[in-house]
Amino acid sequence: MVFETLFPNGWVHYLLGGLLIGAGTAIIYLSTGIIAGASTFLESTLSYVSAKSRFQQYRFRASRDWRVVFTLGIVLGGAAYGLTFGEFGWTTDVQWWRLLVGGLFVGVGTRLGKGCTSGHGVCGVGSLSETSLLNVATFVGVAVGTAQIVAALGVTP
Amino acid sequence: MPAILLGGVVFGFGLGLSQMYRPEVVLRFLRLSDLGLLLVMGGASVVAGVVFAVGSRTDRTAPLTGREFGKRVKSMDRNVLLGGGVFGVGWGISGICPGAAYASLGVGNVTILYAVVGMFAGAYLQGYLRSETSAAEQTAEEPA
């Protein structure tokens, strides 16, 4: 069956997880009017410690406190999930240098491109923003290509 | 703030349930062997889209902050595509993105700290370079 080929590990938890991610965004939006993305946290948090003009922009200083709270919420949500479903303490097998180097690119890329998978991918696509649609198409395309190359080079996991 | 915390918890729980906190699952998607991520991003953006669309059509403002309900529309420029490309390379190498990394840390995946450190270093590098560039531009614009 086609569905099982496309989703060999099932599909219900993917959809439910996605709906919850959307619900989290909706709770924040409906109560505060804030459209929350996850990656600006990086820059706004750096504004606490760096005097560089880039980080001291008003929009980062003004939002940095709630962004810390939002991120703390995500961490707690992950913990609640792990404890509920007995996956707490799971660790990835992906090699440390892949996480570090990949993280570095992700850090540069999300800030240069004004958003990440949640900012552009969820909130921007949800707003039908052309900028976000183009950004998402770019990063998904490039990421698929990169992952294929990494796999073809025989890097596992 | 409690509303933002609650929203974050639900968001993080969703990242857990969808398994996006596991870089392995994201990498499986990027190798096109399990398309689950499409359902995750699709489900999340449809919910966000409906709520934003309804919100931005009312004349009301947000109950807790008095903010107007708007949409997330950012201006288009070269950096959007360049940044998307750089992000794509990082996502393809590591299988990790900011929100998923925070949730993964919550699940107890301490190894993910490598990615968190990398992301902060990348964001700092980007901000540092752009601070220098804009300072140089301002100096250049000043009359001799």
Side-chain angles (χ1 to χ4, degrees):
Chain A
M1 192 180 151
V2 180
F3 226 64
E4 282 162 10
T5 320
L6 297 178
F7 305 103
N9 300 295
W11 58 276
V12 178
H13 67 283
Y14 288 131
L15 190 59
L16 288 179
L19 294 175
L20 279 178
I21 295 169
T25 309
I27 290 170
I28 294 173
Y29 181 76
L30 291 175
S31 55
T32 66
I34 290 171
I35 297 182
S39 63
T40 309
F41 166 73
L42 299 169
E43 261 173 326
S44 66
T45 302
L46 285 166
S47 77
Y48 289 112
V49 294
S50 169
K52 284 282 167 193
S53 60
R54 175 81 198 165
F55 302 115
Q56 291 301 326
Q57 295 174 80
Y58 175 74
R59 62 193 178 102
F60 293 145
R61 292 179 59 93
S63 71
R64 61 187 183 183
D65 292 342
W66 75 253
R67 288 186 192 280
V68 168
V69 172
F70 178 52
T71 301
L72 196 65
I74 299 177
V75 174
L76 289 174
Y81 168 79
L83 293 170
T84 310
F85 288 86
E87 289 173 31
F88 190 81
W90 174 88
T91 53
T92 180
D93 286 329
V94 173
Q95 297 176 60
W96 68 268
W97 64 267
R98 290 180 71 176
L99 298 173
L100 187 65
V101 174
L104 194 66
F105 277 98
V106 165
V108 173
T110 64
R111 301 300 73 224
L112 199 57
K114 308 179 189 176
C116 61
T117 28
S118 59
H120 278 308
V122 175
C123 298
V125 170
S127 305
L128 297 177
S129 152
E130 281 177 32
T131 302
S132 293
L133 292 168
L134 276 168
N135 181 273
V136 172
T138 307
F139 75 63
V140 171
V142 171
V144 167
T146 306
Q148 303 282 357
I149 292 170
V150 171
L153 290 172
V155 179
T156 50
Chain B
M1 285 292 179
I4 290 175
L5 186 67
L6 176 68
V9 169
V10 174
F11 193 98
F13 197 92
L15 281 163
L17 190 62
S18 67
Q19 299 287 306
M20 286 302 115
Y21 77 94
R22 297 184 183 229
E24 283 89 339
V25 175
V26 175
L27 291 170
R28 275 209 302 269
F29 166 76
L30 295 174
R31 284 190 224 110
L32 306 178
S33 58
D34 179 352
L35 302 188
L37 184 74
L38 289 180
L39 297 176
V40 180
M41 213 188 266
S45 56
V46 165
V47 173
V50 170
V51 174
F52 294 173
V54 171
S56 59
R57 270 180 207 180
T58 65
D59 296 328
R60 294 197 200 150
T61 53
L64 297 182
T65 57
R67 274 194 198 218
E68 278 184 39
F69 285 124
K71 287 194 177 186
R72 185 185 191 277
V73 181
K74 298 213 169 181
S75 59
M76 183 66 202
D77 58 36
R78 208 176 36 170
N79 283 343
V80 169
L81 295 182
L82 190 61
V86 175
F87 176 77
V89 170
W91 204 33
I93 292 175
S94 63
I96 212 67
C97 59
Y102 316 147
S104 200
L105 193 61
V107 177
N109 181 10
V110 285
T111 318
I112 212 72
L113 283 169
Y114 283 110
V116 176
V117 168
M119 290 191 301
F120 269 109
Y124 183 75
L125 181 71
Q126 194 271 161
Y128 181 86
L129 291 176
R130 282 173 91 175
S131 298
E132 299 291 304
T133 321
S134 64
E137 275 166 12
Q138 277 165 12
T139 318
E141 279 166 15
E142 280 171 21

